[in-house]
Amino acid sequence: MIRRSAVSLLLGSSALWGASSFHQAHAASASDAQQIQALQREMQEMRREMSGQISVLRQRLVRAESRNTPAANAAQARRVAASKGQPLPESYARDIHIGGDSGMGGGMGSSLGSAMQKADLGTPPSDRGVSSSWASFRAATEKEEAVHMGGMVVGFPGGRPTISSEDGMYAMSIGLAFHEDIGGFMGMSPRRGESKGDYEGLTENARRLRIPISFRYKNWIANITPDFGSSNADGSATLYEANLNYAGFHNTVITAGYFQPRVTEEDSESSNEFEMMERPAITDIVRNIAAGDARMSVGALHYGKRWWIAGYLTGQSYGKRAAGYDSQTGGTFRVAGRPYVSKDIDVHVGVSAISAFKVAQATASDDRSATFAEQPEVDLTTTKLLSATVGNVGSIWSAGPELGFRWKRLVLKGEYYNIGVTRGNNSSGSAAEQGTVNFTGYYGAANYTIFGKPRSYNIKEGAFAAPGVDHAFDPAHGYWGALEVSARYSVTDLNSNLNSANAIRGGQQTVWSAGLNWYPNRHFRFMLDFNHFIVSDDNKASSGSTSLYDIMGRHGNSVAGRIQAAF
């Protein structure tokens, strides 16, 4: 820009001098010597002023070029990295470009320091691999800024460390979903004839230890996410997802492979954004009919500013196929929309449906069965007071509405689901294994953001997102991150046909919950939950269980905390 200014001044000077010569000739012919001399003096004064300005511009240009020498640039890179506690060797420092045109890095002023600072702000990264389009990926990289190192771009789009080529065609990212839970149960002493169950006063569990790894070529993305904590008793390792995605169509993602199909509003949220530590029991039971983690799936989702729709054909979950026997086949469908949207208000309406068309065969006989069971909405126990096993299953289905409402910092939402089990023709014909079975459940939840950016609507998930952090935790400057408080009431009823020969008595569970979540920055969260749960008499002997945890009904309390890291 400095060179262009200097050239413009020189051209202007030449033009003015040419004009002077023209006027001099014209004045001579008109015998107006005094006017010509006055004009010449004025032109000379203007040239002297412009020469001075050109000299100043040349000096500024020399100083700017001297600051951008490779040695000076490398020194600046080392200073920035050292200030962040990350010293760089000389070979790396010379490849980092600070300032100037950074291409995908976001323009003037891009630097390692600013990229690190921006990564602290916003909502938590997802617990899954990325599935955004090539255009969205490049836009996110530009927004978050990046650092150029030897022909590569290193950045943090969406808060996830990512390495890509200059044009973004090739990219690899690695993330983290780290959930460590600690807590215990109170008031769980057994009565006469009951077993206590796994209800410790103080225990811990590595709830999720996922490492999402994504590989991109333009709009093609491969995700693989191992999970070293996918259980209510840590120590087991499994696969969360391994899938191929195509995102080349507008606002559309086509997926094939082991995947978590989105069904119900609660299940569509990332676990890094849950209001409470666990989902309501009914939504967890519903999603596991034919979806859930690491489910073989083929399908697609599409979204707009006001609506979201997805459908998947599903098979068996990872590691659940029994050799020599039929696997399960099923499907999911969800549609959601926002009929009213404003700056302070979001109204969410949706419907979710799921079905296991054919239940997996698990034994040599063709008597297929299904078990529905759930903990009291805290995964610090292996004992499930809520449990029902249904034999002679032909198919399973569930459907129900979703409702949500946001007003400024307040979010209200709820869902209701009915589960139906149709019988097959595989049993001995006993009355206990005939007739349709129906279970129900629902929940209502409220959330309020005390400080920080309040929860908002995520159009890519068709669900509500976590609070945002405008300023990372910095007490010296009065910044405290984000804090929210949540409450929930949920009921799940696994009793069916109680006054008939084919009665199923799995119990009815009611849970009152309250929680507090603090986000010092977008990458870390500390959660504290209190649950009071009531489970009705489930008469285990009549439902075929050998457990005696809940002969006369049971109630208790749990207090649990979670340390969360998300990248």
Side-chain angles (χ1 to χ4, degrees):
M1 181 174 178
I2 294 175
R3 292 191 179 94
R4 289 197 297 268
S5 300
V7 171
S8 299
L9 289 171
L10 290 172
L11 291 174
S13 175
S14 300
L16 289 171
W17 183 254
S20 172
S21 300
F22 171 79
H23 285 294
Q24 183 178 7
H26 180 72
S29 62
S31 302
D32 197 355
Q34 292 181 351
Q35 185 177 0
I36 292 174
Q37 291 175 358
L39 184 59
Q40 287 176 339
R41 287 193 296 270
E42 185 177 351
M43 293 297 103
Q44 290 174 355
E45 183 65 25
M46 291 176 63
R47 288 192 63 187
R48 283 194 294 270
E49 292 179 358
M50 285 189 289
S51 296
Q53 293 179 12
I54 291 172
S55 177
V56 171
L57 291 173
R58 284 175 175 169
Q59 293 174 9
R60 290 174 58 187
L61 178 61
V62 171
R63 287 196 299 269
E65 290 177 341
S66 65
R67 284 197 301 266
N68 284 330
T69 61
N73 190 79
Q76 187 178 358
R78 288 196 300 272
R79 286 194 299 271
V80 172
S83 68
K84 301 295 177 182
Q86 299 179 348
L88 292 177
E90 179 68 22
S91 58
Y92 286 10
R94 288 183 178 276
D95 284 335
I96 297 177
H97 301 282
I98 296 183
D101 184 6
S102 59
M104 289 180 61
M108 297 295 290
S110 176
S111 68
L112 182 63
S114 61
M116 289 179 174
Q117 291 169 2
K118 282 200 171 186
D120 286 341
L121 309 180
T123 57
S126 175
D127 60 353
R128 310 153 185 161
V130 298
S131 57
S132 59
S133 67
W134 185 26
S136 297
F137 170 72
R138 287 182 294 174
T141 305
E142 291 175 358
K143 178 181 178 181
E144 297 292 342
E145 297 196 2
V147 178
H148 291 227
M149 300 178 64
M152 297 186 300
V153 179
V154 180
F156 306 90
R160 179 160 293 177
T162 302
I163 301 174
S164 69
S165 58
E166 290 280 354
D167 55 7
M169 290 177 59
Y170 292 91
M172 184 186 77
S173 64
I174 183 168
L176 176 69
F178 173 96
H179 298 175
E180 285 277 7
D181 296 352
I182 184 170
F185 295 88
M186 300 171 289
M188 294 300 296
S189 299
R191 288 162 293 196
R192 179 176 298 179
E194 290 182 336
S195 299
K196 178 182 178 181
D198 180 22
Y199 294 104
E200 303 296 332
L202 181 63
T203 187
E204 60 285 323
N205 180 39
R207 181 65 178 88
R208 296 179 183 88
L209 297 176
R210 297 176 186 168
I211 304 178
I213 305 171
S214 300
F215 302 87
R216 172 186 296 275
Y217 173 69
K218 292 186 176 179
N219 286 305
W220 296 89
I221 310 106
N223 293 319
I224 180 168
T225 303
D227 192 344
F228 301 96
S230 180
S231 176
N232 48 32
D234 56 15
S236 62
T238 186
L239 182 74
Y240 172 68
E241 66 175 349
N243 50 66
L244 177 66
N245 302 268
Y246 180 73
F249 300 115
H250 182 64
N251 291 352
T252 302
V253 181
I254 303 172
T255 301
Y258 287 110
F259 178 66
Q260 180 193 335
R262 313 295 190 253
V263 63
T264 80
E265 192 279 341
E266 191 78 16
D267 191 47
S268 297
E269 297 179 9
S270 162
S271 61
N272 289 334
E273 300 181 314
F274 286 171
E275 293 179 355
M276 311 295 295
M277 289 172 57
E278 300 297 336
R279 302 176 183 89
I282 184 60
T283 60
D284 222 24
I285 292 173
V286 166
R287 80 188 192 106
N288 285 315
I289 292 173
D293 301 349
R295 178 76 67 170
M296 177 56 68
S297 310
V298 177
L301 68 83
H302 180 76
Y303 63 90
K305 290 184 178 180
R306 290 212 173 192
W307 61 285
W308 188 99
I309 187 171
Y312 299 90
L313 293 175
T314 66
Q316 203 68 31
S317 295
Y318 175 79
K320 297 296 179 65
R321 186 177 68 86
Y325 301 134
D326 283 346
S327 294
Q328 175 176 300
T329 57
T332 69
F333 176 78
R334 177 174 182 253
V335 60
R338 291 188 296 167
Y340 182 82
V341 181
S342 70
K343 178 182 177 181
D344 294 328
I345 296 175
D346 283 302
V347 176
H348 168 90
V349 178
V351 174
S352 285
I354 188 170
S355 178
F357 311 139
K358 181 184 68 174
V359 178
Q361 180 185 7
T363 64
S365 70
D366 204 26
D367 185 5
R368 302 169 191 244
S369 63
T371 298
F372 306 86
E374 192 67 23
Q375 290 96 347
E377 299 183 9
V378 57
D379 271 16
L380 290 173
T381 175
T382 57
T383 301
K384 300 180 179 181
L385 299 177
L386 189 69
S387 178
T389 298
V390 182
N392 187 29
V393 175
S395 63
I396 307 172
W397 63 270
S398 180
E402 313 167 7
L403 296 174
F405 175 77
R406 180 190 69 85
W407 178 66
K408 296 184 178 179
R409 294 180 171 270
L410 176 67
V411 175
L412 305 174
K413 65 178 183 178
E415 299 179 75
Y416 173 90
Y417 290 99
N418 183 82
I419 300 172
V421 182
T422 59
R423 301 290 191 156
N425 299 312
N426 308 313
S427 70
S428 60
S430 64
E433 294 192 346
Q434 301 298 320
T436 300
V437 176
N438 288 282
F439 303 133
T440 60
Y442 59 90
Y443 77 90
N447 174 278
Y448 186 81
T449 304
I450 299 172
F451 57 79
K453 186 177 180 181
R455 285 183 173 259
S456 58
Y457 197 80
N458 186 340
I459 63 172
K460 295 183 179 180
E461 294 181 347
F464 292 97
V469 177
D470 291 326
H471 301 282
F473 179 64
D474 184 3
H477 295 87
Y479 299 138
W480 299 93
L483 182 70
E484 63 177 349
V485 61
S486 301
R488 187 170 71 203
Y489 174 76
S490 75
V491 176
T492 304
D493 188 354
L494 296 187
N495 295 324
S496 180
N497 305 324
L498 293 183
N499 298 319
S500 65
N502 59 348
I504 300 294
R505 191 179 292 274
Q508 177 176 297
Q509 176 175 282
T510 301
V511 182
W512 298 81
S513 305
L516 192 67
N517 305 325
W518 176 51
Y519 306 75
N521 53 60
R522 75 184 302 182
H523 294 293
F524 295 92
R525 176 167 70 161
F526 299 89
M527 307 181 71
L528 181 64
D529 282 10
F530 170 80
N531 287 355
H532 174 68
F533 50 90
I534 306 167
V535 183
S536 68
D537 170 14
D538 61 7
N539 192 4
K540 290 292 184 181
S542 69
S543 60
S545 174
T546 59
S547 300
L548 298 173
Y549 301 123
D550 188 24
I551 297 175
M552 301 175 63
R554 200 133 177 213
H555 62 85
N557 306 289
S558 67
V559 176
R562 171 173 293 172
I563 302 170
Q564 172 180 303
F567 287 88

